[in-house]
Amino acid sequence: MQKLLSEIRGCKVCKEHLPLGPRPIVTAHQNSKIVIIGQAPGTKVHKTGVPWDDPSGEQLRKWLGISDEVFYDASKIALIPMGFCYPGKGKSGDLPPRPECAPLWHKPLLSKMPNVELVILIGRYAQNYYLGKAAKKTLTETVKAYKSYLPDYFPIPHPSPRNRFWLAKNPWFEERVIPVLKKRVADIV
């Protein structure tokens, strides 16, 4: 696992597409029980090198009902983005994750984690990649149908402060889905 993580952290496959240069951000351990698959690091995470070290991460840890210590214990939780490096800015926010990362690195990483009990899929990119045709037409529909993906996958929206409008329009998520997510995470960790 350490050799693979070193290879990933040294990856420069899409270097010419990255405005801040390559800095692959990932944590994993052969004993990880939960895998969180997000989008791609933002500028703050790119600077610190610590995954989910931003307001989105704070919200995510609240949704999961776990402390920073548990969240950053790779023997419990692996943090694997769809794109390992900051992809740059677009017209309406950060660009999508680079498409090279997941096909290149996810399968080798997951194959080294035999104890995984749950994969939390954050946002449309992760959900479409892992759920394939089972993903619904929209993120909202996919998240509403979360029970149909259990026990292996748990789809959720991105915890970004930018999603406050989605959360306000969909109060059922925090009322009914988050308690199930917290219980599932607590049962595993």
Side-chain angles (χ1 to χ4, degrees):
M1 176 63 90
Q2 290 309 313
K3 182 178 183 285
L4 177 59
L5 288 170
S6 291
E7 287 177 39
I8 293 169
R9 290 181 181 127
C11 180
K12 293 180 182 0
V13 167
C14 54
K15 178 182 179 176
E16 66 275 3
H17 302 287
L18 302 171
L20 302 180
R23 185 173 191 186
I25 311 284
V26 59
T27 63
H29 188 278
Q30 63 267 15
N31 295 330
S32 298
K33 294 180 179 181
I34 295 174
V35 175
I36 297 175
I37 300 181
Q39 292 184 179
T43 54
K44 182 174 182 196
V45 170
H46 178 86
K47 285 177 191 167
T48 66
V50 179
W52 295 99
D53 181 27
D54 56 16
S56 296
E58 290 172 27
Q59 182 62 51
L60 178 58
R61 289 186 285 284
K62 285 179 191 170
W63 284 353
L64 300 174
I66 57 175
S67 66
D68 290 1
E69 292 74 31
V70 171
F71 186 79
Y72 289 112
D73 181 345
S75 69
K76 293 179 178 153
I77 298 177
L79 304 171
I80 303 173
M82 289 298 294
F84 291 83
C85 298
Y86 173 68
K89 272 274 186 243
K91 289 179 183 176
S92 60
D94 290 342
L95 290 171
R98 292 294 314 162
E100 298 87 350
C101 297
L104 185 62
W105 299 114
H106 281 210
K107 193 178 265 187
L109 271 169
L110 293 170
S111 73
K112 295 198 177 299
M113 294 184 279
N115 302 319
V116 172
E117 295 179 41
L118 179 65
V119 178
I120 299 171
L121 301 171
I122 298 177
R124 218 48 199 145
Y125 299 107
Q127 292 163 13
N128 287 345
Y129 188 85
Y130 279 91
L131 301 177
K133 292 181 181 181
K136 307 297 181 197
K137 288 185 180 182
T138 67
L139 175 131
T140 302
E141 292 175 48
T142 301
V143 173
K144 273 187 180 175
Y146 74 93
K147 289 179 185 174
S148 65
Y149 307 113
L150 292 171
D152 299 324
Y153 296 108
F154 205 120
I156 64 172
H158 197 284
S160 169
R162 289 187 209 142
N163 275 348
R164 67 186 177 281
F165 298 115
W166 186 93
L167 293 168
K169 285 174 56 176
N170 298 283
W172 53 266
F173 174 71
E174 289 187 310
E175 292 165 4
R176 296 193 303 268
V177 179
I178 290 298
V180 176
L181 177 62
K182 282 183 179 178
K183 182 174 184 341
R184 184 90 171 95
V185 168
D187 289 347
I188 294 170
V189 297

